[in-house]
Amino acid sequence: MSSQAVRLVVLVSGSGTNLQALLDAVADETYGARIVAVGADRDGIEGLARAERAGVPTFVERLADHPTREEWDERLAARIAEHRPDLVVCAGFMKILGSPTLEAFPVLNTHPALLPSFPGAHGVRDALSYGVRVTGCTVMLADAGVDTGPIIAQEAVPVLDGDDEAALHERIKTVERHLLVDTVGRMAREGWTVTGRTVRFGRPGG
């Protein structure tokens, strides 16, 4: 992998299927990025095991090990900074990141709905309950709000007759993995600019 490849720190909380998609992608030297570390907020998860099998350094910073949320925020940011990332990717990370991380690094996150509709922890359930015929997934730059950051990419997923939350979420996750890999790769190879709430691929002046 080229030394010029964009350095990624990926944060996970569970099985790490999005992480695996990124691990598979960075194996191609033309992708433009490499994963320099995987962090988690809990021990013993498959996401960490996937990283270890791939030979990627890991770290765990548990909220319960800190007296306050603010101290956890500071420590997590410090652990991320040890790996000098160009981009932090939340791949199923189930904690809201604090200002120490958000102010130090660009942070990418995904959401299983077409934002700004249906933000929050139950985006799939809420979309289904509302009766929409099309939902989807969003890749965004994280900010201090809940699913309120500038949108980078979105892809639609139809709601089928007879869908329940689990079936719909599985189809969304399949699309989400592809969209996340494509977005990270384009950001790595092309760069990006942010103007207000608009994110565009390409470097300034390019």
Side-chain angles (χ1 to χ4, degrees):
M1 179 67 68
S2 166
S3 62
Q4 300 303 308
V6 165
R7 298 170 63 87
L8 307 177
V9 168
V10 183
L11 302 179
V12 296
S13 291
S15 63
T17 53
N18 279 351
L19 167 63
Q20 187 63 58
L22 288 167
L23 287 167
D24 294 343
V26 299
D28 181 348
E29 292 192 2
T30 66
Y31 183 66
R34 61 190 178 111
I35 299 174
V36 295
V38 171
D41 61 335
R42 62 194 71 188
D43 297 293
I45 58 172
E46 177 62 17
L48 289 173
R50 291 177 189 272
E52 289 160 4
R53 288 194 295 268
V56 175
T58 64
F59 62 90
V60 176
E61 205 59 53
R62 300 193 320 149
L63 181 58
D65 293 338
H66 298 273
T68 66
R69 178 67 178 247
E70 289 73 22
E71 289 186 40
W72 176 78
D73 286 334
E74 292 283 357
R75 182 58 182 156
L76 179 64
R79 296 294 297 276
I80 293 170
E82 290 172 5
H83 300 281
R84 298 178 289 110
D86 300 305
L87 182 65
V88 175
V89 180
C90 292
F93 190 63
M94 301 308 291
K95 294 282 192 299
I96 296 174
L97 293 172
S99 58
T101 296
L102 294 174
E103 292 173 6
F105 316 102
V107 178
L108 209 63
N109 199 7
T110 63
H111 182 69
L114 294 175
L115 293 172
S117 298
F118 313 114
H122 305 293
V124 179
R125 181 189 309 172
D126 293 344
L128 200 57
S129 297
Y130 198 83
V132 299
R133 302 310 299 170
V134 175
T135 184
C137 54
T138 301
V139 179
M140 79 206 96
L141 287 171
D143 65 8
V146 178
D147 300 323
T148 56
I151 291 168
I152 305 171
Q154 293 181 300
E155 191 162 335
V157 175
V159 179
L160 305 180
D161 291 341
D163 262 345
D164 60 14
E165 183 180 355
L168 178 57
H169 202 176
E170 281 304 312
R171 291 207 317 282
I172 291 173
K173 285 193 288 189
T174 298
V175 173
E176 181 182 81
R177 284 192 289 273
H178 166 79
L179 189 64
L180 177 63
V181 167
D182 180 67
T183 301
V184 171
R186 288 195 65 185
M187 292 175 77
R189 294 187 301 272
E190 301 174 31
W192 71 95
T193 60
V194 183
T195 306
R197 292 195 52 83
T198 302
V199 183
R200 292 187 174 90
F201 295 112
R203 293 175 176 82

